[in-house]
Amino acid sequence: MKIDILTLFPNMFDNFLTESIIKRAINDKKVIINIHNIRDYSKDPHKKVDDYPFGGGEGMVLMPQPIFDAVEHLKTPDSYIILMTPQGIKYNQKKAYELKDKKHLIIICGHYEGFDERIRTLADTEISIGDYVLTGGELASMVVTDSVVRLIDGVIETNSHLKDSFNNNLLDYPTYTRPADYKGLKVPEILLSGHHENINMWRHEQQLKRTKERRPDLLEED
Ligand code: 6GU
């Protein structure tokens, strides 16, 4: 998979790309991630990327030209174009699985107070990562990228993500490691029993219990 990210703040991605699982996935050639500075595509002599809103109002608006040109430059028949915006469809694990099967993602990060409405016509989908406002789409694009890359075959053990919270709309079961008794806080007896069938049943019960208590909304989703 290839992921091209369009941003006004490319440095925000430095640590994201050079640590942990994402770094390994890139080194192992499971994914190519390119960060593009939207400003590099500006045709303005001063590399301007935003302007005042028609009709007046607060703040500056991202102009269409740099983004249209960047997308035109990067787009292929395999591209799936995502616009990060708080007005998008709320992101979840199901959407992550859908995106994992795309060959090429182009992710556009909105910034400042907004972007020219015509930029929307470029996008196949608009994604928000939740009901709160960020200063820009950069962190949101990293959230989406991280959640998709870890699902790519061979990036982490498949068994590991099949048991994740939100597969089958259930939260994770509790896990423990040594010691079996820490300051009087004891590991449930059943996990020390070595009886794998019972342990699996217990874990499934715990998932249901937790989900009912903490996220009953998940049990109503399809
Ligand atoms: Cl994608 N962008 C911004 N600016 N804020 C957000 C968001 C995106 N998702 C949730 N809040």
Side-chain angles (χ1 to χ4, degrees), residues 83-88 108 110-112 127-141 144:
L83 186 61
M84 301 308 306
T85 147
Q87 290 115 41
I108 304 166
H111 220 282
Y112 298 149
I127 293 177
S128 156
I129 61 164
D131 295 336
Y132 42 82
V133 180
L134 303 167
T135 56
E138 282 74 16
L139 286 169
S141 77
V144 169

